[in-house]
C-alpha cells in the first residue's frame, strides 16, 4: 500500500483544481496533523482546504483559525449544527474545485494521495474513488482498535478495511468526488448524521455512476482513544446503518445483519440459560451455549489476529477481545434500536430520489 508518484505523462496534463473539505468537531488533538498532511501533498494543480468547524468543546476553532492565518490555501466556514453531513455540504458550498476530496480531521493522507486519486478518476471515469482506511493507534487500546478495524474478525471484509484488488465497489473510505456528480445528486443528505458516505455512494450507483476502490490510495485513521468513545461510535454507526437499510432495503446484506443477529442470539441464549438454571426446565440451560460459544470464538479469533504481522504486545493482546466484542455488540444493538423517525430527504436530494423512483 505504499504510495507512488504521479506519472510524468500525467504531470504534463492539465490538473483540475482540487478542494479538500474537512468537517471538524472537537478535533483539537488531530486537526493540525490532518491539515498538514493535506498541505504537504505534491499536487501540481490548484489546491484549497475548507474547514467546516462546528461548536466544539475544546480549542478546535482556535486551531482552525491559526491554520487559516498561516496558509492562504486554508479557509474556515461555519457549521452551526456540528453534524458531519451539514459540515461537508457547507465546505463544498464554500469551495471552488472541480474535484472534491473528503478528509476527516482524525485522518492523515498518505503522500501523493490526491494526485494519484485524480489520475484514477481520469483513468476509470469513476464518480468517486477511494482506498484503504489504514487504522493506526498510539496507545495499547488504540492499537487494539486499529488491529480489529484492519481484520475481518473485527469489522468485516470490506476492501477499504482489509485491502484487496482494485475495482468497482459499493463504497470507499472518505472519497475523491467529481464536483459535477455532487451537484447533480444534491450532495450529502443532511438527515444521515452518520453513514452519509454509504448513502451518497448508493445514490451515485443508483444514478448509473461508478465507485472505484484502489489499494494504492491509503489514509491513516486515528481510532477512538477510550472504551466509552469506541462503544458510542459503533452504537451510533449501527443505528445510522439501519436508517440506510430502512430507506434502501436492497442494501441489507449478511455483513450488516450478522452483528444484530449475534446480539439477539446471545441475549436470548443467556436469558434461557438463566431461567433453566434457576426455575425452568434443565434443557433451557443449553441457551448458554450461545454466549459461551461467542466468547470462545472472540477469544480464539482475537489471539489469531494478534499474531498477525506485526504481532501485538501483551497489553494490546489483552485489549483485543474486549475491543472486538464491543464493536460487534454495540453496532448490533444500535442496529436493533434505530432512531424513531428518519427525516425526509433534503430538497436537492429529494429531487434526485423522485427522479430515480419516477
Amino acid at each position: 500500500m505504499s504510495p507512488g508518484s504521479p506519472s510524468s505523462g500525467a504531470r504534463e496534463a492539465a490538473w483540475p483544481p482540487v478542494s479538500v473539505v474537512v468537517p471538524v468537531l472537537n478535533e483539537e488533538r488531530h486537526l493540525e496533523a490532518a491539515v498538514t498532511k493535506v498541505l504537504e501533498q505534491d499536487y501540481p494543480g490548484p489546491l484549497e482546504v475548507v474547514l467546516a468547524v462546528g461548536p466544539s468543546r475544546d480549542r478546535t476553532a482556535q486551531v482552525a483559525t491559526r491554520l487559516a492565518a498561516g496558509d492562504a490555501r486554508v479557509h474556515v466556514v461555519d457549521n452551526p449544527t456540528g453534524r458531519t453531513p451539514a459540515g461537508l455540504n457547507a465546505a463544498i458550498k464554500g469551495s471552488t474545485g472541480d474535484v472534491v476530496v473528503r478528509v476527516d480531521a482524525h485522518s492523515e493522507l498518505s503522500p501523493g494521495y490526491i494526485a494519484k486519486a485524480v489520475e484514477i478518476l481520469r483513468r476509470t471515469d469513476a464518480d468517486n474513488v477511494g482506498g484503504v482506511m489504514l487504522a493506526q493507534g498510539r496507545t495499547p487500546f488504540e492499537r487494539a482498535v486499529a488491529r480489529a478495524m484492519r481484520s475481518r474478525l473485527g469489522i468485516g471484509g470490506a476492501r477499504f478495511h482489509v485491502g484487496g484488488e482494485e475495482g468497482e465497489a459499493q463504497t470507499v473510505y472518505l472519497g475523491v468526488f467529481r464536483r459535477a456528480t455532487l451537484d447533480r445528486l444534491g450532495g450529502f443528505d443532511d438527515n444521515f448524521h452518520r453513514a452519509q458516505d454509504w448513502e451518497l455512494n448508493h445514490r451515485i450507483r443508483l444514478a448509473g455512476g461508478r465507485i472505484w476502490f484502489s489499494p494504492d490510495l491509503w489514509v491513516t485513521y486515528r481510532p477512538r482513544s477510550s472504551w466509552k468513545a469506541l462503544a458510542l461510535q459503533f452504537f451510533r454507526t449501527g443505528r445510522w446503518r439501519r436508517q440506510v437499510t430502512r430507506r434502501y432495503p436492497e442494501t441489507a446484506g449478511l455483513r450488516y445483519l450478522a452483528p444484530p443477529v449475534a446480539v439477539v442470539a446471545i441475549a436470548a441464549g443467556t436469558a434461557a440459560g438463566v431461567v433453566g438454571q434457576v426455575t425452568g426446565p434443565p434443557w433451557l440451560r443449553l441457551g448458554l451455549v450461545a454466549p459461551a460459544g461467542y466468547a470462545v470464538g472472540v477469544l480464539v479469533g482475537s489471539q489469531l489476529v494478534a499474531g498477525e504481522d506485526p504481532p501485538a504486545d501483551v497489553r494490546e493482546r489483552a485489549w483485543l477481545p474486549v475491543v472486538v466484542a464491543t464493536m460487534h455488540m454495540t453496532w448490533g444493538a444500535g442496529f436493533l434500536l434505530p432512531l424513531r423517525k428518519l427525516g425526509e430527504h433534503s430538497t436537492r436530494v429529494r429531487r434526485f430520489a423522485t427522479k430515480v423512483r419516477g
Side-chain angles (χ1 to χ4, degrees):
M1 292 186 295
S2 60
S5 300
S7 66
S8 58
R11 282 187 176 277
E12 294 171 359
W15 290 87
V18 167
S19 297
V20 178
V21 297
V22 190
V24 187
L25 182 71
N26 299 320
E27 291 289 359
E28 175 187 0
R29 180 183 176 191
H30 300 301
L31 178 58
E32 184 167 5
V35 173
T36 297
K37 289 295 184 182
V38 173
L39 297 177
E40 290 176 349
Q41 292 284 305
D42 183 20
Y43 183 68
L47 177 70
E48 66 175 352
V49 182
V50 183
L51 308 177
V53 180
S56 302
R57 297 186 301 272
D58 57 13
R59 296 183 64 258
T60 294
Q62 293 92 317
V63 174
T65 300
R66 175 169 55 80
L67 291 170
D71 195 305
R73 295 172 293 175
V74 180
H75 314 286
V76 177
V77 298
D78 192 28
N79 177 22
T81 69
R83 294 170 181 165
T84 298
L88 287 166
N89 288 333
I92 292 168
K93 183 178 179 180
S95 67
T96 60
D98 296 334
V99 174
V100 176
V101 179
R102 176 181 174 176
V103 173
D104 285 345
H106 48 266
S107 61
E108 300 171 14
L109 299 185
S110 55
Y113 177 92
I114 294 177
K116 187 180 290 290
V118 170
E119 286 187 312
I120 295 171
L121 275 177
R122 288 170 165 169
R123 172 169 58 83
T124 62
D125 196 31
D127 294 272
N128 179 23
V129 304
V132 176
M133 175 183 172
L134 187 61
Q136 297 284 346
R138 296 185 176 96
T139 68
F141 177 80
E142 291 174 357
R143 292 198 298 273
V145 175
R147 187 177 292 269
M149 284 186 164
R150 299 194 305 266
S151 74
R152 294 181 183 275
L153 175 68
I155 208 165
R159 280 180 287 174
F160 71 86
H161 283 301
V162 301
E165 294 182 357
E166 179 175 339
E168 290 195 47
Q170 289 187 331
T171 191
V172 290
Y173 180 52
L174 299 178
V176 178
F177 302 85
R178 297 181 187 274
R179 176 180 289 274
T181 299
L182 296 176
D183 289 344
R184 185 174 73 254
L185 301 187
F188 292 88
D189 191 330
D190 288 351
N191 286 296
F192 284 87
H193 302 173
R194 290 176 180 267
Q196 67 282 149
D197 50 350
W198 210 105
E199 193 275 339
L200 173 58
N201 284 325
H202 186 66
R203 276 190 285 125
I204 290 174
R205 291 187 291 111
L206 282 179
R210 174 182 290 183
I211 313 299
W212 195 266
F213 169 82
S214 173
D216 293 332
L217 299 173
W218 54 275
V219 181
T220 298
Y221 169 84
R222 299 300 179 188
R224 299 300 191 267
S225 59
S226 70
W227 179 87
K228 180 180 179 180
L230 177 72
L232 189 59
Q233 176 193 14
F234 273 75
F235 178 78
R236 288 172 172 169
T237 301
R239 294 186 81 184
W240 283 100
R241 187 60 185 82
R242 170 71 176 273
Q243 307 316 309
V244 176
T245 304
R246 286 176 62 187
R247 181 163 286 175
Y248 306 106
E250 68 275 13
T251 67
L254 180 61
R255 183 160 62 93
Y256 298 111
L257 296 178
V261 168
V263 170
V264 171
I266 291 169
T270 301
V274 170
V275 171
Q277 189 73 28
V278 178
T279 61
W283 60 265
L284 286 177
R285 298 174 191 174
L286 292 174
L288 295 175
V289 170
Y294 175 79
V296 171
V298 167
L299 286 170
V300 173
S302 295
Q303 295 313 302
L304 293 175
V305 171
E308 295 175 356
D309 190 43
D313 60 26
V314 174
R315 291 182 296 174
E316 180 185 335
R317 189 180 291 266
W319 269 117
L320 194 55
V322 177
V323 164
V324 169
T326 298
M327 289 178 172
H328 293 171
M329 296 296 101
T330 56
W331 200 101
F335 192 92
L336 292 168
L337 299 171
L339 301 174
R340 291 189 177 184
K341 182 179 179 181
L342 183 63
E344 292 295 324
H345 285 295
S346 62
T347 302
R348 297 174 69 191
V349 174
R350 188 161 58 247
R351 292 196 192 107
F352 161 78
T354 302
K355 185 183 301 184
V356 170
R357 292 169 185 159

